[in-house]
Amino acid sequence: GIQVEQSPPDLILQEGANSTLRCNFSDSVNNLQWFHQNPWGQLINLFYIPSGTKQNGRLSATTVATERYSLLYISSSQTTDSGVYFCAALTTSGTYKYIFGTGTRLKVLA
Amino acid sequence: DADVTQTPRNRITKTGKRIMLECSQTKGHDRMYWYRQDPGLGLRLIYYSFDVKDINKGEISDGYSVSRQAQAKFSLSLESAIPNQTALYFCATSKGPTGSNEKLFFGSGTQLSVL
């Protein structure tokens, strides 16, 4: 089945720094989402991005479906950005399901 | 009020007990899902339902069962809980097929501990 890999697994930033999180997937996908899991465990939708680029404030995402990767950019990071970032790819080959990566754990220091 | 509500938020139970986790949604979505999250791992799909009469197994359905009582309600049962079912459980919804209708929306999670 499809594999979804995220890098780096852990990231520590000083407040104000920029970062890029990567999500690689091993097969064609129908769509891709990015989520932020905050320190209280809640999963928040960041982007639905099967292809192209989207921006939302300090965050932006790019998916290059033909090359099977997606990037999440965080600019001017804030302590509230801390948590775990997951990408999830939807596959319809075999069982219809989202496959989640194992996440990037981000800690932003004040 | 939250669009996707899970109850309880936390539960501690003993090995062998039957337990039910409940999920209700006010988003009007047809599709509902149960996921499990273990520390350091991503989310894994337990069961999903595309409408009231549709139930499908996910990748880790053994030891679990579900019931879709109505469009808005989807419950997960552990018939005989065991310690390795200790995890954070999430309910999610999506509107339907194609494009942005496939976006997932999650509840706040239920932390289950089986002693």
Side-chain angles (χ1 to χ4, degrees):
Chain A
I2 188 172
Q3 305 292 318
V4 178
E5 296 180 349
Q6 293 186 243
S7 60
D10 296 280
L11 188 57
I12 300 175
L13 298 175
Q14 205 65 41
E15 198 169 28
N18 303 328
S19 62
T20 301
L21 283 57
R22 187 176 181 101
C23 173
N24 291 331
F25 37 96
S26 61
D27 202 350
S28 299
V29 298
N30 291 67
N31 71 54
L32 187 127
Q33 286 189 252
W34 282 96
F35 297 90
H36 175 220
Q37 187 170 36
N38 65 24
W40 297 270
Q42 292 180 305
L43 281 160
I44 309 299
N45 249 308
L46 294 178
F47 294 100
Y48 164 80
I49 185 161
S51 63
T53 297
K54 290 187 178 179
Q55 181 151 9
N56 185 2
R58 296 180 297 103
L59 273 60
S60 64
T62 296
T63 296
V64 183
T66 54
E67 297 186 22
R68 300 180 183 171
Y69 72 89
S70 184
L71 302 174
L72 178 69
Y73 305 97
I74 304 174
S75 65
S76 304
S77 58
Q78 300 177 357
T79 56
T80 52
D81 296 329
S82 296
V84 184
Y85 290 80
F86 291 103
C87 64
L90 175 64
T91 176
T92 56
S93 60
T95 304
Y96 173 104
K97 59 184 177 182
Y98 275 94
I99 305 297
F100 281 76
T102 54
T104 292
R105 184 173 299 274
L106 173 65
K107 186 168 186 178
V108 181
L109 304 176
Chain B
D1 287 339
D3 294 324
V4 184
T5 302
Q6 292 184 233
T7 56
R9 290 297 309 276
N10 292 280
R11 181 72 183 267
I12 301 173
T13 192
K14 294 183 178 180
T15 298
K17 293 291 188 181
R18 184 180 188 276
I19 185 169
M20 180 181 289
L21 309 183
E22 300 191 9
C23 178
S24 63
Q25 52 115 347
T26 58
K27 298 184 77 67
H29 287 174
D30 286 329
R31 300 183 169 198
M32 298 187 74
Y33 311 80
W34 277 103
Y35 284 90
R36 164 180 174 157
Q37 183 181 25
D38 296 281
L41 300 179
L43 278 71
R44 293 181 292 167
L45 183 62
I46 306 173
Y47 272 96
Y48 63 101
S49 168
F50 284 174
D51 64 40
V52 175
K53 297 180 181 179
D54 177 73
I55 300 290
N56 303 281
K57 292 184 177 181
E59 56 187 315
I60 54 164
S61 59
D62 288 347
Y64 302 94
S65 63
V66 292
S67 174
R68 184 82 183 266
Q69 302 95 322
Q71 186 207 37
K73 296 183 182 294
F74 193 36
S75 60
L76 175 72
S77 294
L78 288 67
E79 297 301 326
S80 180
I82 56 177
N84 76 1
Q85 291 177 314
T86 293
L88 182 58
Y89 290 84
F90 285 100
C91 175
T93 72
S94 65
K95 188 174 182 180
T98 70
S100 61
N101 288 334
E102 291 168 330
K103 287 173 62 175
L104 287 176
F105 296 89
F106 283 89
S108 297
T110 295
Q111 178 62 56
L112 176 65
S113 298
V114 183
L115 305 179

